[in-house]
Amino acid sequence: MMIEVALFGAGRIGKIHAGNLALQPGVRLKYVVDVHEPAARELAARYGASVSSSEAALTDPAIGAVVIAASTDTHADLILQAASRRKAIFCEKPVDLDLARARRCAAAVKEAGVPCLIGFQRRYDPTFAAVKARIEAGEIGTPEMLVVTSRDPGAPPLDYIRKSGGIFKDMLIHDFDICRWILDDEAVSVHASASVLTDPAIGSAGDADTTAVTIRTAKGRLCQINTSRRAAYGYDQRFEVLGSLGMLQAGNHRPTEVVYSGTKAVSQDLPEAFFLERYRAAYAVEMAHFFSAIQAGSALRTTIEDGVAALVLADAATRSWQEGVPVSL
């Protein structure tokens, strides 16, 4: 059966998802919904879809799945409406900025019995997935410590920061998911520190731009996450896992793997510019997984429960930073 899809959001990530959706066998993009109608028209025309309102798209019985790539403040309402109409759901992170509301969404999805994938695309990255597979194969024994480096090339606009829920919910939520996934354990304590080092205006907006977080899990495993809104050299995405028998590292990706060697230096390309380039393959794998799981009736790799669990850590980190103390979970 053909799966008809409604896409909510025609911005930069919506465009990525539309392109990947169009490649899936047995899947057709029927509607594009966006408050900025010119963007919706342009994207719909590119893939032979129609522009629609949210209500019309959600109430169309032909729609079997929704892809939610609109602004964060729309996620929870769209999840609740889609679940009530028994649509399969693909939603970008976070589920919501409010933990109680996110939990209500998870309960609604469970009650409806519909698949709901939350877009933690890093789990689908071929490099990161290879590290996970080698851990599961026992290559480094028992994982004991994870160190994550996650640095953006620059901060988003201040208007975005004011609405983002803060750096822990907006940026580090991906790293919290990596922690749970790679260490295969749940956190029992979170200690977060944060500073404003790149732009005083970010502090005036009530947020931070540089963070250091330590997480201890139920099995005593440790995770250290360092992040910054500014890395002059590009998008810095690395982690290493220390185990009882060795260590695995996942490094940055570069536009090319050409290395120059001369009399004064050995050099290579800087890391990829930003997340759309770095995780291009991950977004494609993620979308293919979503629709193949729907078609096969199999389990999703990242669920709404994962979205809630990462938000729990983001909430805890925010409180730890604001109160200056570790938070127990």
Side-chain angles (χ1 to χ4, degrees), residues 239-292:
F239 71 76
E240 63 181 41
V241 194
L242 178 67
S244 56
L245 299 178
M247 179 176 69
L248 289 167
Q249 295 176 303
N252 283 318
H253 287 197
R254 295 174 172 81
T256 77
E257 295 305 315
V258 176
V259 178
Y260 164 78
S261 298
T263 58
K264 296 183 178 179
V266 175
S267 63
Q268 59 188 130
D269 290 353
L270 294 172
E272 292 279 17
F274 207 15
F275 69 94
L276 294 177
E277 295 84 6
R278 168 61 182 84
Y279 292 114
R280 145 187 332 111
Y283 287 124
V285 174
E286 179 184 48
M287 190 62 70
H289 165 70
F290 176 64
F291 284 107
S292 66

Side-chain angles (χ1 to χ4, degrees), residues 79-80 83 89 104-116 304-305:
I79 288 172
L80 291 170
I89 303 162
R104 287 197 295 273
C105 289
V109 166
K110 183 177 181 179
E111 182 180 354
V114 294
C116 180
I304 195 164
E305 287 78 14

Side-chain angles (χ1 to χ4, degrees), residues 189-205:
S189 68
V190 178
H191 190 186
S193 297
S195 295
V196 179
L197 301 177
T198 74
D199 184 354
I202 293 175
S204 298

Side-chain angles (χ1 to χ4, degrees), residues 164-248:
S164 70
I167 191 169
F168 296 105
K169 293 182 181 180
D170 175 55
M171 184 176 172
L172 277 86
I173 198 163
H174 281 292
D175 306 302
F176 296 139
D177 182 65
I178 286 290
C179 172
R180 295 183 59 249
W181 177 54
I182 291 294
L183 292 182
D184 192 27
D185 200 11
E186 298 298 339
V188 294
S189 68
V190 178
H191 190 186
S193 297
S195 295
V196 179
L197 301 177
T198 74
D199 184 354
I202 293 175
S204 298
D207 202 4
D209 55 36
T210 308
T211 76
V213 180
T214 299
I215 297 170
R216 187 176 188 275
T217 74
K219 296 175 182 176
R221 297 169 183 178
L222 296 176
C223 174
Q224 294 179 317
I225 304 169
N226 72 86
T227 64
S228 175
R229 289 287 197 186
R230 180 181 64 197
Y233 49 88
Y235 189 45
D236 194 354
Q237 296 284 287
R238 295 172 282 135
F239 71 76
E240 63 181 41
V241 194
L242 178 67
S244 56
L245 299 178
M247 179 176 69
L248 289 167

Side-chain angles (χ1 to χ4, degrees), residues 11-33:
R12 57 184 182 178
I13 193 62
K15 292 174 181 175
I16 295 292
H17 288 328
N20 289 324
L21 191 159
L23 298 174
Q24 308 311 313
V27 176
R28 186 176 81 87
L29 179 60
K30 185 174 184 179
Y31 297 128
V32 176
V33 182

